[in-house]
Amino acid sequence: MITSQDALTLLKAHNDEPNLIHHALESEAVMRGLARRLGRDEELWGVTGLLHDLDYAATRDNHARHGLDSVDMLAGKLPDEALDAIRRHASELNGAEGPQTEFDHALRCGETVTGMVHAGALVRPTRIDGMQPKSLKKKMKDKAFAASVNRDCIRECERIGLELGEFLQVAIDAITDIAPEVGLAPE
C-alpha cells in the first residue's frame, strides 16, 4: 500500500489548488478519526480519504469519470476495498454501484462533512476552535449555508453506526487537529 507521504506527493502532483489540498487533508483527518472511533485500519482509511479526489482536477468537467480515473491511477497502490470506496463515493456522478460497505459509507459521509465543517469554521471569529456539533446541526438545516454540501451524504453516518452529533464531533475533533494546515486555526 502507498505510504501517507507518497500519497500526499501524488495528490499534489495532480492537484495544485489549495482548496482541493485542504479538502483532501481534512478528508484524511476525518477518515482517520472515524477509523479510530470504529476500530478500523487508520492508515488505510486515512490514505483513502487523502486520495479519494485524486482525479478531481482532471475530471471537474467530466463528472462521469470522477472516481473512476482515481481508481485507474491508484491500481496496485491501494487494496480493492479502498478502490471500491473511491469509485463508490461519487456513484451518483459516475454510474458506479452505490455504497455497499461500512468503508464506502464512511468515505462518503467523511469527505462530505468536511465542506460543512470548513464553511462553519470560516464564519466563526474563533474559526474551528470551540466549534460544537449542535451549531453544525443548526447550519445543516439552512439550505443556503454551504449549499453545495449534500446533507444526505452526511447523514450516511448512521449507516456506520454513528448518530449525527457524535459523527460531527469526530469530524470537528479530527479537523481541529490539522486546523493550521487547512486555514482554520484562530487568527
Side-chain angles (χ1 to χ4, degrees):
M1 186 174 93
I2 190 169
T3 66
S4 292
Q5 188 55 52
D6 288 344
L8 184 58
T9 300
L10 181 64
L11 175 72
K12 288 181 177 180
H14 289 277
N15 295 284
D16 60 0
E17 293 181 33
N19 62 331
L20 292 175
I21 302 298
H22 290 171
H23 169 64
L25 292 170
E26 291 168 5
S27 297
E28 175 187 24
V30 171
M31 287 299 288
R32 287 181 183 279
L34 290 172
R36 274 191 302 277
R37 179 73 179 86
L38 299 171
R40 304 296 179 255
D41 184 333
E42 188 175 332
E43 191 65 16
L44 174 62
W45 283 37
V47 169
T48 302
L50 183 65
L51 294 175
H52 79 281
D53 278 345
L54 179 62
D55 65 12
Y56 187 80
T59 62
R60 90 175 61 213
D61 296 325
N62 183 8
H63 297 299
R65 293 297 310 162
H66 181 52
L68 303 178
D69 287 358
S70 291
V71 167
D72 291 345
M73 289 188 273
L74 294 168
K77 293 179 173 69
L78 289 174
D80 288 345
E81 66 180 314
L83 298 176
D84 288 343
I86 290 170
R87 183 182 302 108
R88 292 172 181 156
H89 96 276
S91 61
E92 294 88 350
L93 300 174
N94 65 26
E97 176 181 46
Q100 304 296 308
T101 68
E102 177 187 59
F103 196 5
D104 296 347
H105 288 289
L107 181 58
R108 284 171 56 89
C109 66
E111 72 95 6
T112 303
V113 76
T114 66
M116 185 63 63
V117 174
H118 197 95
L122 289 178
V123 299
R124 292 170 41 85
T126 59
R127 300 287 177 145
I128 200 166
D129 192 39
M131 181 183 281
Q132 296 296 316
K134 78 176 188 179
S135 69
L136 282 183
K137 280 183 178 182
K138 192 175 191 179
K139 292 199 180 304
M140 282 180 64
K141 293 176 184 174
D142 178 359
K143 292 184 193 300
F145 183 83
S148 65
V149 175
N150 185 327
R151 274 79 163 150
D152 291 334
C153 276
I154 292 174
R155 288 185 193 95
E156 284 185 36
C157 64
E158 294 172 359
R159 303 289 301 263
I160 62 172
L162 297 179
E163 177 272 324
L164 181 59
E166 182 181 12
F167 171 68
L168 292 173
Q169 188 66 63
V170 169
I172 291 166
D173 291 346
I175 295 172
T176 297
D177 288 345
I178 63 161
E181 296 171 62
V182 296
L184 297 180
E187 296 177 335

